[in-house]
Amino acid sequence: MKDEAEKPEKSASRGKRRRRRLLAAAVIFAAAAAVLVVFVPCILVHAPLPKLSFDLSNHIDGILAEITRSKTVTAELEISRGWPDGFRIDAKGRILDWPYTAVANVRFGFIRADGDLALSIDGTTWRLFADFSAQSADEWRINANIAERPVSQDDALVADILSRVMPGAFSNLVFNGTFSLDAEAWSTEKRPVPAWSARASLKDTDARFETAPGEFVEARNLRARFGADAIADHCDIAPMFPRADSISAAGFVLSNAYAHVRATERSWLVTEAGADCCGGELRLYSMFLDPENLNAGATVFADGIDAGEILRKLSFFKGQASGRLHGKLPFFFKDGRSLHIKNTYLFSTPGETGKMRIDDPTPLLDNLATGGLPEEMRDNLAKALSDLDYKVLKFELSRGDGREASTLAVKLEGSATCGKTTVPVNLDLAFHGDFDELLNLGLKFGRQTDKETVK
């Protein structure tokens, strides 16, 4: 009976000893934490810090990998006590090929850290500002931005990057505009992998590029937003919707130009693009662009194009015309250098009539003389074309196979009036030659005409 009475007393004694040990452990832990809080600032401020280096080779690919020599980010840190609390961290190093300087203010709580950062690319006016907070290695966030700022070809950082992307051609590019960037990165305990999102904006941009002496491609008020969303190793390029008030090239002006662009795994897809041109509309659908070898192909659909504006671009046409043209223009862009136009046609609106007045038929008649048309017929044709009402006007470009020459066919049906006499006209003309010559005739002829008009 005595042993049974002693058992509860021994159990209670063991419980008291266990509670005393737990209390002692808690006191020791609290004291250690207090010492740590007191001495860690001194350790951080006075302890020498090694130079940090992060290799990003496995995370950089595409054009960024091609234009950068270094694939690392380095940092040399100096830590001091901040004001009014926390720490100030001064850093300098390199982000890939570009040196930087940064200042961060960091505040520590018991299980939390937060702060802000200002980073500058040395030798430039580029500044990035960020704020951040962290509860653990799996729970953190960063918000960063580059405030809206002007950019141009004279900007040191932009000039350096573009000279690498466009070697030998960058010197021909002149531009100015406004750029901004907003980005964020985060990780949560429920999804403990890094994720980030970035959006950049380019607006109010005018650009001009010289393709050859005296020949330019020019854009006015170009604007676009672009960016990306990523999680872990997966990244999606955000859809882009560039627009421009006007784009001019080879004597043509595209007004109110726009495009809808999406990135696929291996190429860029232009789902739709369009512009106003020559009094009508141009539309393009489903064009794939291979970014590695810069190959692209699609068909441009033309609707309501002013016949007079098109004819004035032809070197053999000296006069005026009215009426509307419709048709399609398939093209293929190869290696980012050469443009090939496939079988193309433009035709007048069925059932509608137009007028044509050729003031100087000499270029046209000279071509017909080379083709063997008798002089009497050329004279009659010149009279007919001086006052012609047409009901059919058609242009058709047919590419030759192999070594065969390409053909630009022009068809005219209508009636010509000379004094009180009106006669029917049915004219079929064919211009043969090398495709590049026809391309020059169809796309770059406007320069000579424009110069003569100025004279």
Side-chain angles (χ1 to χ4, degrees):
M1 298 294 292
K2 182 179 179 180
D3 292 340
E4 293 179 358
E6 290 178 349
K7 287 182 179 179
E9 294 179 0
K10 291 181 179 180
S11 177
S13 178
R14 285 195 297 270
K16 290 180 181 180
R17 288 196 299 271
R18 190 178 297 113
R19 287 192 292 272
R20 285 197 294 269
R21 292 192 189 103
L22 290 174
L23 179 60
V27 171
I28 293 171
F29 177 78
V35 171
L36 191 64
V37 170
V38 171
F39 285 101
V40 161
C42 297
I43 295 173
L44 290 175
V45 170
H46 297 290
L49 298 174
K51 181 178 179 178
L52 304 178
S53 181
F54 304 94
D55 186 0
L56 303 181
S57 300
N58 295 330
H59 304 283
I60 296 177
D61 55 13
I63 191 170
L64 184 59
E66 295 177 5
I67 67 172
T68 53
R69 294 179 290 273
S70 171
K71 304 297 187 293
T72 61
V73 174
T74 63
E76 296 180 19
L77 306 179
E78 291 185 4
I79 301 179
S80 58
R81 291 304 298 264
W83 180 264
D85 59 354
F87 299 91
R88 173 190 169 107
I89 303 175
D90 291 272
K92 62 180 180 179
R94 299 186 73 87
I95 299 177
L96 305 180
D97 292 340
W98 300 282
Y100 74 90
T101 302
V103 177
N105 296 291
V106 184
R107 296 167 292 276
F108 292 98
F110 189 68
I111 57 171
R112 178 184 177 88
D114 60 69
D116 54 72
L117 168 74
L119 183 146
S120 304
I121 301 298
D122 295 348
T124 76
T125 58
W126 285 86
R127 304 286 185 270
L128 179 142
F129 299 93
D131 60 79
F132 54 87
S133 65
Q135 287 77 43
S136 68
D138 296 330
E139 185 82 14
W140 52 267
R141 67 155 186 88
I142 301 173
N143 292 324
N145 74 86
I146 296 175
E148 193 171 276
R149 51 159 295 142
V151 292
S152 72
Q153 77 281 354
D154 297 325
D155 185 287
L157 180 61
V158 174
D160 184 28
I161 294 174
L162 289 180
S163 65
R164 303 182 188 202
V165 176
M166 306 168 59
F170 169 66
S171 60
N172 294 330
L173 177 64
V174 178
F175 69 95
N176 60 79
T178 303
F179 176 85
S180 63
L181 171 70
D182 292 289
E184 59 180 333
W186 65 91
S187 175
T188 64
E189 291 184 353
K190 292 183 179 180
R191 194 174 62 184
V193 293
W196 59 267
S197 176
R199 293 293 183 273
S201 173
L202 186 66
K203 64 180 184 178
D204 303 327
T205 302
D206 296 333
R208 188 179 189 185
F209 183 80
E210 187 175 19
T211 57
E215 300 176 11
F216 297 92
V217 175
E218 190 170 10
R220 294 289 184 184
N221 193 21
L222 176 66
R223 61 267 189 199
R225 283 187 60 83
F226 44 93
D229 301 286
I231 181 170
D233 294 329
H234 179 76
C235 180
D236 293 317
I237 304 298
M240 292 178 287
F241 306 96
R243 292 182 174 273
D245 285 356
S246 67
I247 298 174
S248 57
F252 285 95
V253 177
L254 305 179
S255 303
N256 303 317
Y258 72 91
H260 299 170
V261 185
R262 296 181 180 273
T264 65
E265 291 184 359
R266 296 185 179 180
S267 64
W268 293 90
L269 170 63
V270 180
T271 58
E272 181 182 356
D276 299 332
C277 181
C278 297
E281 296 180 345
L282 300 179
R283 294 290 182 268
L284 176 152
Y285 304 94
S286 300
M287 181 183 76
F288 283 91
L289 173 63
D290 185 342
E292 291 191 5
N293 47 35
L294 294 181
N295 290 338
T299 297
V300 176
F301 296 91
D303 185 30
I305 302 298
D306 186 273
E309 291 198 37
I310 291 294
L311 286 170
R312 281 193 292 272
K313 301 297 183 181
L314 297 174
S315 60
F316 60 78
F317 183 83
K318 311 293 182 181
Q320 299 83 39
S322 65
R324 297 288 173 179
L325 298 175
H326 314 268
K328 67 177 185 178
L329 188 153
F331 71 91
F332 183 75
F333 198 58
K334 185 178 181 181
D335 300 329
R337 297 180 180 178
S338 55
L339 178 65
H340 302 269
I341 296 181
K342 301 180 180 180
N343 295 345
T344 300
Y345 64 84
L346 284 172
F347 59 90
S348 58
T349 305
E352 293 185 7
T353 59
K355 292 185 177 293
M356 185 176 298
R357 306 289 185 267
I358 296 184
D359 302 325
D360 180 11
T362 303
L364 175 61
L365 298 181
D366 289 346
N367 185 284
L368 295 177
T370 303
L373 190 68
E375 182 177 359
E376 183 180 355
M377 295 185 64
R378 298 200 304 271
D379 292 340
N380 291 333
L381 179 60
K383 294 178 181 178
L385 294 178
S386 65
D387 188 0
L388 174 69
D389 294 321
Y390 70 85
K391 59 182 180 181
V392 174
L393 174 61
K394 184 175 182 180
F395 299 90
E396 186 170 2
L397 175 65
S398 300
R399 293 199 59 189
D401 295 329
R403 296 184 178 180
E404 294 183 6
S406 298
T407 302
L408 175 63
V410 181
K411 182 177 181 60
L412 265 173
E413 289 185 13
S415 60
T417 301
C418 183
K420 296 183 179 180
T421 304
T422 300
V423 296
V425 174
N426 193 332
L427 180 65
D428 288 286
L429 302 175
F431 300 87
H432 304 279
D434 180 79
F435 175 71
D436 290 335
E437 293 178 353
L438 289 176
L439 182 60
N440 182 69
L441 175 68
L443 294 180
K444 299 181 179 179
F445 32 53
R447 294 188 302 275
Q448 180 179 353
T449 303
D450 293 340
K451 291 178 181 178
E452 293 178 355
T453 301
V454 171
K455 291 179 181 179

